[in-house]
Amino acid sequence: AQPADTLRQRVAEAVGWGADYYLPIHTNASTATLKEGTARGPEVLAYGNSEGVSWRACQMTYEALMEIYPEKTGRGVRGNTTFYEINSTPMLSVYPELAFHDNAKDAAWLVENKAAIAEALTRAVCRWYGVSYQPPQPADLWQRKYRTLLEKLQALLAEQAE
């Protein structure tokens, strides 16, 4: 999906290519209370009941986020059946609210921990599918492997041209 796509377009794209896991990544705000900007921490929104598939997948995501979040919170997994990206996806929807963008500490944490957040979300998806997580390799290692592969392919092409 593109950043300018609507929620409907994002869901339609996922349905169109047959996704079986939908992960819309969001941040939260606590503007509905008198103490605006005081709420903190991740929570993950689930569809259905607390014994269902959605809750189990969301719990994995919440636990992965809490492994990197600097404080313990009691936000956890919460039910939601009103958000479009939850109630209109035929596939499993795991809806993380990473932290509160209207809280200065959470906003700083979001900005300073983008890579760790991405890895936490990836670890959760891997846990759900029962595959081991492989951390990203440093760019120089990847580039060396790419160059080696490129050189081998170029040598094969040169041999075939002769």
Side-chain angles (χ1 to χ4, degrees):
Q2 298 301 312
D5 287 352
T6 67
L7 300 179
R8 290 183 190 280
Q9 289 171 311
R10 292 167 187 267
V11 169
E13 180 180 336
V15 170
W17 58 265
D20 57 4
Y21 190 108
Y22 188 79
L23 183 71
I25 302 168
H26 292 269
T27 59
N28 213 340
S30 60
T31 56
T33 69
L34 295 176
K35 296 183 179 183
E36 184 175 329
T38 59
R40 298 206 53 208
E43 69 182 14
V44 183
L45 305 179
Y47 187 85
N49 64 53
S50 61
E51 304 299 318
V53 171
S54 177
W55 280 73
R56 288 194 307 272
C58 289
Q59 186 64 38
M60 289 178 182
T61 300
Y62 178 73
E63 289 168 2
L65 289 168
M66 290 308 295
E67 288 171 9
I68 62 166
Y69 189 74
E71 296 179 23
K72 298 298 175 212
T73 71
R75 303 207 69 82
V77 177
R78 299 180 190 271
N80 183 300
T81 58
T82 60
F83 288 1
Y84 187 81
E85 288 177 295
I86 296 173
N87 68 23
S88 297
T89 50
M91 72 289 287
L92 172 65
S93 178
V94 175
Y95 192 109
E97 295 272 15
L98 301 176
F100 285 80
H101 57 257
D102 63 349
N103 178 290
K105 287 182 180 179
D106 266 14
W109 180 78
L110 287 164
V111 170
E112 295 165 2
N113 292 281
K114 290 183 276 190
I117 292 166
E119 282 192 56
L121 294 172
T122 304
R123 280 194 314 274
V125 172
C126 288
R127 283 181 196 149
W128 175 254
Y129 285 103
V131 297
S132 61
Y133 169 72
Q134 300 297 318
Q137 299 176 351
D140 60 329
L141 179 60
W142 178 86
Q143 290 170 349
R144 281 192 307 247
K145 286 182 177 181
Y146 171 77
R147 283 190 203 111
T148 302
L149 179 60
L150 179 63
E151 290 165 1
K152 287 179 181 178
L153 289 172
Q154 288 172 334
L156 283 172
L157 289 172
E159 283 178 22
Q160 289 179 352
E162 293 175 357

